[in-house]
Amino acid sequence: MTVFENVLTDRGSKYAVSGGPAGSKAEVQTLLKELKRNKKFAKATHNTWALLLPDGPLKGDDGEAGAGMVIVRMLERAQLENHLVIVTRWFGGTHLGGDRFRRVQDCVTHYLDQMEG
């Protein structure tokens, strides 16, 4: 699994993005568990994720309603199947409103750019 910490900060909320190859819900759970072995990630406010499988998307909002779908759309645009992307947020005390989706997009863009690089 690849992890990019401290990707961005917005009004106190900190973001990271990580991911790796996955082909099933069980593999998603394994990768999430692996990520959360790091106490910092286990204590995060949200670990939202998405994965495109040949038979459709899987996603998890982890309390950040709608964030999983944002990741799904970006994976669809990138045509990236069988690859889990997880956006982690540590809430900083200020609600970001709709900007939280822009931050999720920023994180996924960072991840995809690093993959291509």
Side-chain angles (χ1 to χ4, degrees):
M1 176 168 6
T2 306
V3 178
F4 300 101
E5 293 192 46
N6 307 316
V7 173
L8 62 94
T9 303
D10 186 350
R11 289 164 270 182
S13 285
K14 291 180 174 50
Y15 286 84
V17 63
S18 47
S24 67
K25 178 87 171 179
E27 289 178 24
V28 168
Q29 296 309 324
T30 300
L31 286 169
L32 283 168
K33 201 177 287 182
E34 183 182 320
L35 182 68
K36 290 177 184 178
R37 274 197 209 113
N38 178 332
K39 276 201 176 82
K40 179 179 175 184
F41 285 86
K43 291 180 177 174
T45 314
H46 309 288
N47 283 295
T48 58
W49 58 270
L51 167 69
L52 287 186
L53 295 174
D55 59 352
L58 295 175
K59 62 181 173 57
D61 289 339
D62 194 27
E64 186 81 287
M69 198 61 213
V70 171
I71 303 170
V72 165
R73 283 194 211 105
M74 294 187 73
L75 292 176
E76 287 172 343
R77 250 180 268 141
Q79 298 178 331
L80 182 62
E81 284 191 354
N82 298 313
H83 199 97
L84 174 69
V85 175
I86 306 161
V87 175
T88 303
R89 177 183 181 190
W90 293 269
F91 182 64
T94 301
H95 290 283
L96 303 182
D99 285 346
R100 71 187 190 277
F101 298 120
R102 280 187 274 293
R103 298 299 80 83
V104 169
Q105 288 174 330
D106 293 342
C107 287
V108 176
T109 297
H110 178 84
Y111 185 87
L112 295 173
D113 287 351
Q114 297 302 315
M115 278 185 63
E116 291 169 6

